[in-house]
Amino acid sequence: YLTGTAPAGSRLYGHEEGQSWLNPANLKALNELAEIAHSKNAKLSQLALAWILSHPEITSCIVGASKVEQIEENAQAADLDLSNDELQQIESILQEREKTCP
């Protein structure tokens, strides 16, 4: 989704109402988060799960996988350590996105 288009086979592919999620504010945030993930040599999905794991008030997370590789990637998120600075940077990106999205 980083390019602003839904890849074939994805949940948003072919759904006009889903395309509204690919707005400039969301894409800006997504690309900024992808930079953090890249700096950690991780996938964006792993960064998201590591962020969730850093919040003890979140007691569960529902993840989906259609391939064994996705399950393995998800599990690796538990080993991704996010510094306080990185967590603050992620929070800042998310808060800025909330201000600009309808």
Side-chain angles (χ1 to χ4, degrees):
Y1 300 108
L2 293 172
T3 63
T5 58
S10 68
R11 289 184 207 148
L12 290 184
Y13 185 74
H15 296 284
E16 291 235 358
E17 64 277 1
Q19 291 292 81
S20 67
W21 285 96
L22 300 177
N23 61 57
N26 281 343
L27 291 173
K28 179 180 182 289
L30 191 60
N31 280 283
E32 290 172 351
L33 293 168
E35 288 178 22
I36 297 171
H38 181 73
S39 75
K40 303 291 286 182
N41 199 28
K43 296 188 176 228
L44 192 50
S45 59
Q46 293 169 323
L47 180 73
L49 290 172
W51 177 82
I52 289 169
L53 290 170
S54 75
H55 288 77
E57 68 275 15
I58 300 175
T59 58
S60 65
C61 175
I62 299 171
V63 296
S66 58
K67 301 174 186 168
V68 172
E69 295 83 22
Q70 292 169 325
I71 296 169
E72 292 169 347
E73 286 175 7
N74 289 345
Q76 291 171 3
D79 295 328
L80 186 61
D81 291 321
L82 298 174
S83 69
N84 286 334
D85 286 343
E86 290 164 333
L87 289 170
Q88 288 176 346
Q89 187 179 7
I90 291 168
E91 292 295 336
S92 176
I93 292 166
L94 296 175
Q95 288 172 7
E96 185 61 31
R97 182 212 151 280
E98 285 179 10
K99 287 187 224 172
T100 57
C101 279

